[in-house]
Amino acid sequence: MDLCSNQVKLSASAGWHPGPVLGIESSCDETAAAVLSHEGEVLSNVVSSQVAVHEKFGGVVPELAARAHLELIDQVVEQAVSQARILKRNLAAVAVTQGPGLAGALLVGLSYAKALGYGLRLPVIGVNHLQGHIASAWLADPTFPIPCIVLVVSGGHTHLYRREVDGRCILLGYTRDDAAGEAFDKGAQMLGLGYPGGPAIDHVAHFGDSNAIPFPRFRGGKRNLEFSFSGLKTSLLYKLREMNVLPSPDQIADLAASYQEAIVQVLAAKTFVALEHSKLASLAVVGGVSANSRLRTILKERAVQGHIRLSVPPLEYCTDNAAMIAAAGRQMLIDGQQQSLGLDICPMETIGTEGRVQVNSYSKRG
Ligand code: KG4
Ligand code: ZN
């Protein structure tokens, strides 16, 4: 049975009557809820981070994440609805992350959304987390042009897409091994900078020299749009081993700055190769790693030089949030996608394997 297909239609509430949409996100370590207005404006965006729960373990513990979502979800949703200054009964739909993500964590959000939808007779729409990140590019910049190139860089994904006018996302390239966020998190762990690693490296790198230490930068040929960060990670490990003594704070800063530079330069270089090949002039960069200050600077500089229209979301929409889920879900409802109380979680990403594949995006289901 295909757990990801919407098979059981909502009876009384099958129709989508435009109005405020509640978004719920619980795929990893943020419990989030947000409300978008009838017109798609963000009325509230509440994110409760679980950093305190996981930091002593140096990473996300799936079972603890699920339990924390269970504890937090009701109050986070209540807060989002009250900050939006609406009543739950005025909601028009609930959009919820279906996957990819941690199974237990996803189940909490999806079960909550289905119960709410059932109780209030609202359509419930399942949203792919990557579609949510992609939608975040339009939250602060609704007129951002399509077709465009989209780079999704998060803890689990480093994916380059070409987004078409009809909403299809064509996969142009992705990472062969670690995601960029994973490279940040693992690097920070080796450097003793803690969890979450991306913001920690971003911070410490400001005090270091990005040219101090040479790190490998995977290119794979001029036209290659694949990424690989495992060699970089191994290189950091060996450099630390070679040092024999614990690195000083200055050395840590140099290592962090040089390591970060290797990641962000490759991300920017490949993304601009994709732009060049596609002859498109608009670029969206989304996902947690798009919060990186050095990456944002490089992208802005290159976009100005190349006359590229750039959309990098404000920081609150880069890392996991529910406004992006509400935005993607709202678009799916507008496009006429059917909703279902039979939806199930999709912990694994549902895209093809090689080359040009179509992501289950904003287009109507057949
Ligand atoms: O999108 P996101 O919040 O969750 C996933 O979908 O994975 O991305 C989380 C990732 C983590 O790996 C985190 O270290 C990274 O985004 N991240 C950053 C920064 N802020 C978050 N990486 C580099 N620099 C940052 N400022
Ligand atoms: Zn994410």
Side-chain angles (χ1 to χ4, degrees), residues 27 129 133 154-155 287-288 318-320 324:
S27 65
H129 186 78
H133 276 304
S154 66
C318 291
T319 43
D320 287 350
M324 67 183 198

Side-chain angles (χ1 to χ4, degrees), residues 47 66 131 173 240 248 270 288 303:
V47 180
Q131 288 180 36
L240 287 168
S248 68
K270 298 216 171 228

Side-chain angles (χ1 to χ4, degrees), residues 234-304:
T234 310
S235 170
L236 175 61
L237 181 71
Y238 286 153
K239 284 189 198 313
L240 287 168
R241 276 191 194 157
E242 281 161 18
M243 284 178 149
N244 279 330
V245 288
L246 279 179
S248 68
D250 283 350
Q251 285 173 316
I252 300 250
D254 283 348
L255 283 162
S258 305
Y259 185 81
Q260 170 179 270
E261 196 68 13
I263 298 174
V264 300
Q265 288 291 356
V266 169
L267 290 175
K270 298 216 171 228
T271 304
F272 277 80
V273 168
L275 272 168
E276 208 179 296
H277 288 171
S278 65
K279 308 225 178 329
L280 293 174
S282 40
L283 166 66
V285 180
V286 300
V289 178
S290 68
N292 184 269
S293 59
R294 180 68 185 137
L295 178 62
R296 293 169 87 92
T297 302
I298 294 171
L299 291 171
K300 279 175 196 159
E301 284 170 2
R302 292 193 65 158
V304 169

Side-chain angles (χ1 to χ4, degrees), residues 41-62:
E41 184 198 348
V42 180
L43 299 178
S44 64
N45 185 31
V46 179
V47 180
S48 176
S49 166
Q50 299 180 6
V51 169
V53 175
H54 304 287
E55 66 183 343
K56 54 180 168 291
F57 302 102
V60 180
V61 182

Side-chain angles (χ1 to χ4, degrees), residues 25 27-30 100 129-130 133 152-157 179-185 195-203 260 264 286-295 315 317-321 324:
E25 154 64 36
S27 65
C28 190
D29 57 346
E30 324 276 2
H129 186 78
L130 297 186
H133 276 304
V152 182
V153 260
S154 66
H157 297 86
E182 211 174 342
F184 271 107
D185 292 336
Y195 153 92
I201 288 189
D202 193 347
H203 175 71
Q260 170 179 270
V264 300
V286 300
V289 178
S290 68
N292 184 269
S293 59
R294 180 68 185 137
L295 178 62
L315 294 182
Y317 302 140
C318 291
T319 43
D320 287 350
N321 65 88
M324 67 183 198

